[in-house]
């Protein structure tokens, strides 16, 4: 049996595609054949910019005429359309999207297609593809984080006067409110968005023209390519352009990890506070899952999976850093392996943001259960501070209250939360300010999208993305 298997493996190995054993091709292409399907748009857009720049180079003879350049761009748009219909496939023979697009161009345009790879390498091609992909993904992620932040703010405003026990060490600590709890997560997300924008800024630089990592002896106009693609600037040093691959992905994944940490903690709070023993909140019934044996069950599987996926996104960030940290400078094939965790991290984070928004919007707030949580001890610190207000030194008030806990009976939670009026406390929350911050970030995303889509539409000579929006 063992012999048959190994004979079989050897036979498959000996099959050749061109000059390379098919098992070597399969091993080296890895998941690219599948993952690169998500990079077809980016690869065609990057190629369109490269060709447009080549057509303008003052070389005699010209590499392309302006007309030939336009023909190639039109063909690239056709490939994008075909990919959308599922009629463009990347084969093992292609290895990746770059060679698949070149193959298709050559099939349709002959000689012209064979010139397209002039002055570039798959190394700068994949780098630009991933940055174009990341740009759209990051903007969409920020939008989705804003949508969740807005739902949390709606709950916070609606329930600003609903008392909720504030906890430390999970033990009852001080009077708080649903408004404070919910809008804390809005602000967490606003912080995470700043990290996403930092990653976005780093991403917004064009590596194209660095070729294999050492430039080419052709007068490439790297600034023009960067402008055509709507990047802020070209990456200056061509070796750095290549070396930044993987490191950039790890920065983006680290920002995504922060988003997931926020979501995971929100999920944890919700699992706790929706337990029947608490009953503070109720989950939307249509977002709970049942049990195959226990008819009564309404399980928070969504929240548990958000918690688990936070671990997985963090593992993606770690995987990329592990791959990159030991690499010598210059391109190494190891970098290909950063693609899967990168895409996976983005997909999981975005899906988690999208599922949490309707879940938060559908939360039922149970005022009675929240009020029942107010055991008298919750008022201890507030009571001590009321003695301070009458002139007692705090430490004396502290010991007095500790000895006279019975004085805390019958205090009113609603009054207690109304008394905390300083900035950011239960009665000092600037909901309008938070709403303004959400709006400012929304405006940032729209302006960036407009700028990017305008550049790409001009480059492709068709409105992008109206006809071709990347699904997902
Ligand atoms: N699929 C490859 C990657 O993701 C493309 C670059 C291949 N370059 C090379 N020199 N073999 O890294």
């Amino acid at each position: 049996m063992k012999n048959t298997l190994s004979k079989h493996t050897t036979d498959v190995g000996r099959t050749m595609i061109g000059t390379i054993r098919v098992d070597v091709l399969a091993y080296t292409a890895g998941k690219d054949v599948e993952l690169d399907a998500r990079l077809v748009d980016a690869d065609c857009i990057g190629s369109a910019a490269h060709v447009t720049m080549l057509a303008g180079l003052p070389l005699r003879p010209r590499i392309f005429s302006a007309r030939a350049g336009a023909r190639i761009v039109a063909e690239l748009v056709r490939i994008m359309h075909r990919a959308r219909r599922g009629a463009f496939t990347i084969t093992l023979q292609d290895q990746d999207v770059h060679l698949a697009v070149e193959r298709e161009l050559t099939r349709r345009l002959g000689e012209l297609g064979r010139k397209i790879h002039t002055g570039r390498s798959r190394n700068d091609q994949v780098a630009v593809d991933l940055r174009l992909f990341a740009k759209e993904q990051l903007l969409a992620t920020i939008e989705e984080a804003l949508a969740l932040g807005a739902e949390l703010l709606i709950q916070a405003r609606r329930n600003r006067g609903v008392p909720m026990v504030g906890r430390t060490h999970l033990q009852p600590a001080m009077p708080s409110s649903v408004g404070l709890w919910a809008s804390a997560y809005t602000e967490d997300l606003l912080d995470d968005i700043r990290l996403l924008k930092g990653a976005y800024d780093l991403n917004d630089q064009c590596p194209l023209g660095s070729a294999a990592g050492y430039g080419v002896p052709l007068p490439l106009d790297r600034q023009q390519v960067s402008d055509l693609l709507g990047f802020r600037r070209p990456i200056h040093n061509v070796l750095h352009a290549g070396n930044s691959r993987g490191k950039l992905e790890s920065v983006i994944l680290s920002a995504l990890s922060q988003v997931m940490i926020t979501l995971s903690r929100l999920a944890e709070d919700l699992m706790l506070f929706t337990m029947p023993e608490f009953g503070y909140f109720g989950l939307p019934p249509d977002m709970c899952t049942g049990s195959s044996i226990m008819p009564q069950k309404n399980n928070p599987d969504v929240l548990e999976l958000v918690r688990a996926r936070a671990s997985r996104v963090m593992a993606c960030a770690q995987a990329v850093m592990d791959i990159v940290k030991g690499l010598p400078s210059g391109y190494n094939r190891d970098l290909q392996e950063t693609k899967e965790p990168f895409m996976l991290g983005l997909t999981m984070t975005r899906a988690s943001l999208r599922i949490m928004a309707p879940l938060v919007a559908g939360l039922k707030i149970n005022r009675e259960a929240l009020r029942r949580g107010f055991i008298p001890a919750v008022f201890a610190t507030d009571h001590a501070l009321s003695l301070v207000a009458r002139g007692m030194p705090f430490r004396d008030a502290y010991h007095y209250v500790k000895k006279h806990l019975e004085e805390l009976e019958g205090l009113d939670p609603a009054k207690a939360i109304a008394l905390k009026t300083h900035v950011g406390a239960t009665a000092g929350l600037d909901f309008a300010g938070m709403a303004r911050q959400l709006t400012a970030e929304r405006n940032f995303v729209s302006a960036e999208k407009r700028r990017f889509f305008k550049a790409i539409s001009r480059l492709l000579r068709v409105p992008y993305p109206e006809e071709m929006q990347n699904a997902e």
Side-chain angles (χ1 to χ4, degrees):
M1 185 63 192
K2 198 170 169 236
N3 272 342
T4 329
L5 266 183
S6 68
K7 184 168 179 291
H8 174 73
T9 314
T10 317
D11 284 349
V12 171
R14 278 211 206 97
T15 314
M16 308 289 270
I17 294 183
T19 58
I20 305 177
R21 285 165 57 126
V22 73
D23 58 347
V24 171
L25 269 183
Y27 188 78
T28 54
K31 284 222 174 155
D32 263 17
V33 178
E34 181 189 317
L35 298 175
D36 277 17
R38 296 184 72 183
L39 297 178
V40 176
D41 268 11
D43 202 69
C44 290
I45 290 168
S47 296
H50 183 65
V51 165
T52 304
M53 181 273 292
L54 287 181
L57 287 187
L59 294 172
R60 292 290 174 266
R62 283 184 171 284
I63 298 170
F64 297 119
S65 66
R67 254 192 79 219
R71 261 189 80 194
I72 299 176
V73 172
E75 197 54 49
L76 287 164
V77 170
R78 240 165 268 141
I79 292 175
M80 290 163 77
H81 279 301
R82 229 170 289 144
R84 218 155 260 89
R85 293 199 311 271
F88 178 76
T89 44
I90 302 165
T91 64
L92 184 56
Q93 190 161 10
D94 295 324
Q95 297 178 55
D96 52 34
V97 65
H98 323 296
L99 294 179
V101 169
E102 184 174 337
R103 184 241 311 144
E104 187 64 9
L105 283 179
T106 307
R107 189 175 74 80
R108 310 273 304 193
L109 303 173
E111 170 96 359
L112 284 182
R114 291 208 304 282
K115 286 181 167 182
I116 178 136
H117 211 53
T118 311
R120 73 174 186 190
S121 153
R122 277 185 295 162
N123 300 351
D124 62 340
Q125 232 185 315
V126 64
V128 82
D129 289 7
L130 288 164
R131 281 173 186 260
L132 290 167
F133 173 78
K135 184 174 237 189
E136 287 198 47
Q137 290 287 321
L138 278 170
L139 290 174
T141 308
I142 296 174
E143 271 181 333
E144 288 156 357
L146 287 168
L148 175 59
E151 292 298 353
L152 285 157
L153 187 57
I154 290 173
Q155 287 287 16
R157 287 180 124 153
R158 194 184 290 151
N159 299 293
R160 64 177 84 191
V162 178
M164 173 175 175
V165 169
R167 291 169 188 276
T168 64
H169 315 266
L170 270 183
Q171 303 296 314
M174 289 184 76
S176 179
S177 67
V178 174
L180 189 79
W181 173 82
S183 65
Y185 282 108
T186 302
E187 281 202 54
D188 286 343
L189 285 169
L190 280 165
D191 276 359
D192 299 336
I193 286 169
R194 280 160 75 178
L195 294 174
L196 290 170
K197 282 169 74 181
Y200 179 88
D201 184 52
L202 218 50
N203 180 67
D204 199 9
Q205 310 180 81
C206 186
L208 214 53
S210 57
Y214 299 94
V216 288
L218 288 172
L220 301 182
D221 190 342
R222 295 194 55 218
Q223 181 67 51
Q224 186 197 357
V225 170
S226 173
D227 293 343
L228 287 171
L229 291 173
F231 282 106
R232 288 262 174 229
R233 58 187 91 79
I235 298 176
H236 180 68
N237 181 310
V238 290
L239 180 56
H240 167 60
N243 288 347
S244 65
R245 181 165 177 215
K247 211 159 168 293
L248 170 71
E249 283 86 331
S250 79
V251 169
I252 295 172
L253 286 166
S254 303
L256 296 173
S257 298
Q258 290 302 324
V259 173
M260 290 305 289
I261 289 172
T262 299
L263 297 196
S264 182
R265 298 183 70 177
L266 172 59
E268 187 63 37
D269 270 1
L270 288 172
M271 281 184 266
L272 200 58
F273 296 144
T274 57
M275 274 168 70
E277 288 78 354
F278 276 90
Y280 289 179
F281 306 139
L283 294 172
D286 60 353
M287 296 193 77
C288 294
T289 40
S291 154
S292 59
I293 176 171
M294 297 168 282
Q296 86 284 10
K297 284 292 235 171
N298 264 319
N299 292 328
D301 292 31
V302 167
L303 299 171
E304 293 164 289
L305 287 165
V306 165
R307 187 172 57 187
R309 284 178 188 151
S311 305
R312 292 185 63 201
V313 172
M314 288 157 68
C316 289
Q318 190 60 47
V320 171
M321 287 189 278
D322 279 343
I323 291 168
V324 171
K325 75 161 207 316
L327 294 183
S329 64
Y331 178 83
N332 301 276
R333 192 66 180 267
D334 311 48
L335 290 169
Q336 183 175 288
E337 295 303 276
T338 64
K339 203 183 280 173
E340 188 178 21
F342 179 51
M343 289 181 170
L344 188 59
L346 277 163
T347 303
M348 286 193 292
T349 305
R350 292 190 51 196
S352 303
L353 284 166
R354 286 197 303 264
I355 202 74
M356 286 302 277
L359 188 141
V360 165
L363 280 181
K364 280 256 159 353
I365 310 298
N366 185 348
R367 289 170 178 252
E368 292 69 42
L370 281 156
R371 192 165 279 257
R372 273 198 300 277
F374 276 82
I375 55 170
V378 175
F379 298 100
T381 310
D382 282 13
H383 187 51
L385 287 166
S386 74
L387 299 177
V388 166
R390 280 181 250 147
M392 197 183 285
F394 176 75
R395 192 53 65 207
D396 298 347
Y398 173 97
H399 288 299
Y400 176 85
V401 173
K402 203 174 171 124
K403 261 193 234 121
H404 300 90
L405 287 174
E406 73 286 350
E407 285 183 19
L408 303 173
E409 295 291 340
L411 292 175
D412 180 4
K415 265 198 198 129
I417 62 171
L419 284 173
K420 287 196 260 187
T421 54
H422 63 70
V423 167
T426 40
L429 286 166
D430 182 10
F431 295 122
M434 290 183 222
R436 274 197 301 278
Q437 287 182 61
L438 292 173
T439 305
E441 301 302 4
R442 237 175 260 126
N443 291 341
F444 165 82
V445 173
S446 335
E448 285 304 305
K449 273 182 154 177
R450 221 176 304 121
R451 196 171 66 81
F452 178 57
F453 292 151
K454 202 169 135 198
I456 304 306
S457 303
R458 186 180 301 153
L459 171 67
L460 299 180
R461 299 190 176 91
V462 294
Y464 181 87
E466 284 83 334
E467 294 184 49
M468 352 218 175
Q469 182 76 50
N470 238 332
E472 230 207 344

